[in-house]
């Protein structure tokens, strides 16, 4: 069960990572650009509320609610006419999981977890707490490079390590949006595709962005962008064949036009997955609400 929990956690993080209203100020051309300054520091908070329902033939449905919060810091170490260098450090992670088979309440700031599942999770998470990840990003928001700490550069996901190298790179990119070249008008769309491999599963996520215009949010001119994610899966995790039967992935991003940075992201992921566990068909519904604030 613990192995399934950790591999499921990695899948949820990857799934969600590869994925709010006021009146419009004007329907005009705009060219949103990041405008960070050397020495700036930001707190990045990611809050996820997840509800899973697992269905197996002959058994009662199992509901597994889960909450997760991560706190990171962004520090801008260089700012040029073309790009920025940012150091990102994960400072704290909290998680709560309730299932018929186990209870987990984890906080990386807690010195000595009382139960074995939380202790195992602390051992895994403590490896990334405080580690410095260096990101170089253009003014359009395109992530050019992600430099991981030495011990994580080629790390695969495992029950003892839910944060693979690919997962860490996706976590870094979750608070960025890459804008296309040139000006945008209300209704302009563009897309970005990410391919990920994880424990035998290949995932492709195509995010389609739509520019929703310049708005006034609490007196601040703010670009609003909506997103829709289309995912495909091949193979399965931990040797379990898995298929995606239903999906609905939508989000809204707010970008501060005055300061040139992302303000917040709100996203909802609604999935139905099916897997074959030793000849037993298992269906899993998952609804995830994610909020990111910078």
């Amino acid at each position: 069960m613990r192995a399934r929990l950790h591999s499921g956690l990695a899948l949820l993080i990857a799934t969600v990572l590869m994925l709010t209203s006021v009146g419009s100020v004007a329907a005009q051309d705009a060219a949103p650009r990041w405008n960070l300054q050397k020495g700036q520091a930001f707190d990045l908070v990611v809050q996820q509320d997840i509800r899973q329902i697992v269905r197996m033939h002959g058994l009662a449905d199992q509901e597994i609610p889960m909450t997760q919060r991560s706190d990171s810091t962004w520090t801008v170490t260089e700012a040029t006419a073309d790009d920025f260098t940012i150091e990102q450090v994960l400072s704290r992670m909290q998680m709560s999981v309730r299932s018929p088979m186990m209870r987990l309440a984890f906080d990386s700031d807690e010195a000595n977890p009382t139960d074995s599942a939380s202790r195992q999770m602390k051992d895994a998470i403590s490896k990334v707490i405080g580690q410095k990840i260096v990101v170089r990003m253009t003014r359009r928001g395109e992530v050019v490079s992600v430099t991981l700490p030495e011990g994580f550069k080629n790390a695969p996901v495992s029950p003892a390590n839910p944060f693979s190298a690919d997962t860490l790179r996706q976590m870094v990119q979750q608070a960025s949006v890459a804008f296309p070249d040139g000006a945008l008008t209300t209704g302009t769309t563009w897309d970005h595709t990410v391919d990920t491999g994880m424990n035998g599963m290949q995932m492709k996520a195509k995010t389609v962005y739509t520019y929703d215009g310049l708005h006034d949010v609490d007196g601040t001119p703010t670009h609003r962008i909506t997103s829709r994610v289309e995912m495909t899966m091949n193979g399965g995790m931990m040797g379990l064949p898995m298929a995606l039967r239903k999906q609905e992935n939508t989000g809204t991003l707010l970008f501060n036009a005055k300061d040139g940075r992302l303000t917040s992201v709100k996203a909802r992921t609604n999935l139905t997955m099916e897997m074959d566990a030793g000849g037993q068909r298992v269906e899993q519904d998952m609804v995830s609400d994610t909020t990111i604030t910078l």
Side-chain angles (χ1 to χ4, degrees):
M1 177 61 189
R2 292 171 189 165
R4 290 184 182 179
L5 172 63
H6 294 312
S7 61
L9 168 61
L11 175 60
L12 290 173
I13 293 172
T15 301
V16 173
L17 294 180
M18 290 184 305
L19 297 170
T20 154
S21 177
V22 293
S24 175
V25 174
Q28 58 186 9
D29 289 354
R33 293 293 181 265
W34 288 76
N35 188 29
L36 304 178
Q37 306 298 319
K38 182 176 180 179
Q40 282 183 317
F42 304 97
D43 293 321
L44 174 68
V45 179
V46 181
Q47 176 74 43
Q48 290 177 276
D49 295 292
I50 302 165
R51 186 172 69 94
Q52 301 177 74
I53 297 178
V54 179
R55 299 184 175 91
M56 298 178 65
H57 180 70
L59 299 176
D61 292 354
Q62 297 183 20
E63 184 171 347
I64 307 175
M66 172 179 170
T67 62
Q68 178 176 299
R69 170 176 168 143
S70 64
D71 292 75
S72 303
T73 57
W74 269 28
T75 303
V76 183
T77 59
E78 292 293 339
T80 72
D82 299 317
D83 55 32
F84 313 98
T85 301
I86 303 163
E87 293 182 351
Q88 184 170 336
V89 176
L90 179 65
S91 57
R92 185 180 186 183
M93 179 165 284
Q94 302 168 74
M95 185 185 305
S96 173
V97 181
R98 298 196 313 273
S99 80
M101 299 182 63
M102 69 175 298
R103 297 287 190 272
L104 185 150
F106 167 80
D107 187 338
S108 63
D109 278 0
E110 183 182 352
N112 298 301
T114 56
D115 61 278
S116 59
S118 295
R119 286 196 296 270
Q120 186 177 6
M121 183 62 70
K122 181 176 178 63
D123 290 342
I125 300 298
S126 62
K127 297 175 182 178
V128 296
I129 296 292
Q131 296 287 343
K132 186 181 298 182
I133 300 174
V134 180
V135 183
R136 190 162 66 87
M137 180 178 71
T138 69
R139 289 185 176 270
R140 287 198 302 107
E142 180 184 8
V143 175
V144 178
S145 65
V146 177
T147 303
L148 300 177
E150 197 61 38
F152 295 91
K153 290 184 177 179
N154 299 302
V157 69
S158 70
N161 176 35
F163 293 98
S164 68
D166 284 342
T167 300
L168 286 173
R169 291 187 182 96
Q170 290 173 36
M171 288 179 67
V172 167
Q173 296 183 57
Q174 66 189 343
S176 177
V177 55
F179 299 105
D181 290 322
L184 304 178
T185 57
T186 301
T188 299
T189 63
W190 67 100
D191 61 70
H192 178 66
T193 300
V194 176
D195 292 295
T196 304
M198 184 183 299
N199 263 21
M201 173 179 285
Q202 298 298 316
M203 299 176 62
K204 176 177 289 188
K206 178 183 178 181
T207 302
V208 179
Y209 297 101
T210 301
Y211 182 64
D212 196 35
L214 190 64
H215 297 252
D216 184 287
V217 178
D218 298 328
T220 301
T222 301
H223 301 289
R224 187 168 63 191
I225 301 102
T226 61
S227 64
R228 175 173 49 86
V229 182
E230 302 166 357
M231 291 191 301
T232 58
M233 296 180 180
N234 291 300
M237 292 187 63
M238 308 295 289
L240 301 177
M242 182 177 294
L244 185 60
R245 299 304 185 198
K246 184 184 74 174
Q247 62 175 307
E248 184 179 358
N249 312 295
T250 58
T252 301
L253 302 86
L254 297 182
F255 189 89
N256 187 314
K258 179 182 177 182
D259 295 340
R261 66 177 181 85
L262 194 69
T263 302
S264 68
V265 178
K266 290 187 177 181
R268 164 161 282 205
T269 298
N270 192 338
L271 305 176
T272 296
M273 293 174 286
E274 188 177 285
M275 66 186 75
D276 184 350
Q280 173 74 51
R281 188 171 73 89
V282 180
E283 189 175 88
Q284 178 178 339
D285 292 336
M286 185 191 79
V287 177
S288 171
D289 289 300
T290 303
T291 301
I292 301 172
T293 55
L294 182 65

